[in-house]
Amino acid sequence: MMTTEKKKRIESEEMLILMRVINENPQMTQRDLSSRLGLSLGKINFLIKSLIEKGFIKADNFKNSNNKISYLYLLTPAGIEEKTRITYRFLKRKMEEYEKLENEIRHLKKEVDLLDNSVPEGH
């Protein structure tokens, strides 16, 4: 079972990825976002509504080439700040994970070297 903290962290990372894509491609539909990010359409809708409610993105109507009304999703100044905060926390966590992996690799190499040195030649 997933802890509440882990769920929040995953949702935060999903929001970060979504905000990045929206920032690069504000005209993408929720269906496009779902396909690109590998998240369900319902999850994209939930995240976008949440980001709008928090004031991190706004949705503007526009006419697309198929003469249908679509939305243009834009990061607000508060959204840009939040994206920066999430990015910082994400980077900090990934750097900690990286350092742990580096240490684990270093210890494993030492173990392998010790094993290699303890095996008599010719075996």
Side-chain angles (χ1 to χ4, degrees):
M1 183 169 245
M2 202 179 302
T3 64
T4 303
E5 184 179 317
K6 188 169 184 177
K7 284 180 186 178
K8 284 182 182 179
R9 188 172 58 227
I10 289 170
E11 191 169 290
S12 180
E13 289 176 18
E14 290 169 343
M15 283 186 169
L16 173 61
I17 294 166
L18 180 59
M19 286 192 286
R20 282 181 181 160
V21 173
I22 286 173
N23 195 43
E24 294 168 5
N25 303 294
Q27 74 289 349
M28 288 184 83
T29 66
Q30 288 188 19
R31 194 169 304 285
D32 293 337
L33 291 165
S34 170
S35 176
R36 174 138 177 213
L37 300 178
L39 297 172
S40 72
L41 188 55
K43 181 68 173 193
I44 293 293
N45 185 272
F46 169 80
L47 291 171
I48 286 176
K49 283 183 177 181
S50 177
L51 289 168
I52 290 171
E53 286 173 11
K54 293 176 182 178
F56 297 152
I57 64 171
K58 63 180 182 175
D60 288 334
N61 291 334
F62 78 99
K63 293 243 182 198
N64 68 15
S65 60
N66 296 333
N67 207 19
K68 291 186 263 177
I69 292 181
S70 295
Y71 290 100
L72 188 65
Y73 298 108
L74 302 169
L75 287 179
T76 64
I80 293 168
E81 286 179 28
E82 181 64 11
K83 180 176 165 271
T84 302
R85 277 191 291 276
I86 295 171
T87 300
Y88 174 77
R89 289 191 307 263
F90 182 76
L91 178 62
K92 185 178 176 184
R93 191 172 60 256
K94 292 300 177 183
M95 291 297 292
E96 289 169 0
E97 290 173 12
Y98 176 78
E99 288 171 10
K100 285 178 184 176
L101 280 172
E102 267 189 326
N103 285 332
E104 188 174 341
I105 289 169
R106 195 172 15 260
H107 290 299
L108 289 170
K109 283 181 177 180
K110 284 180 184 179
E111 281 182 42
V112 168
D113 287 345
L114 287 173
L115 288 171
D116 284 347
N117 292 333
S118 68
V119 175
E121 285 194 36
H123 285 97

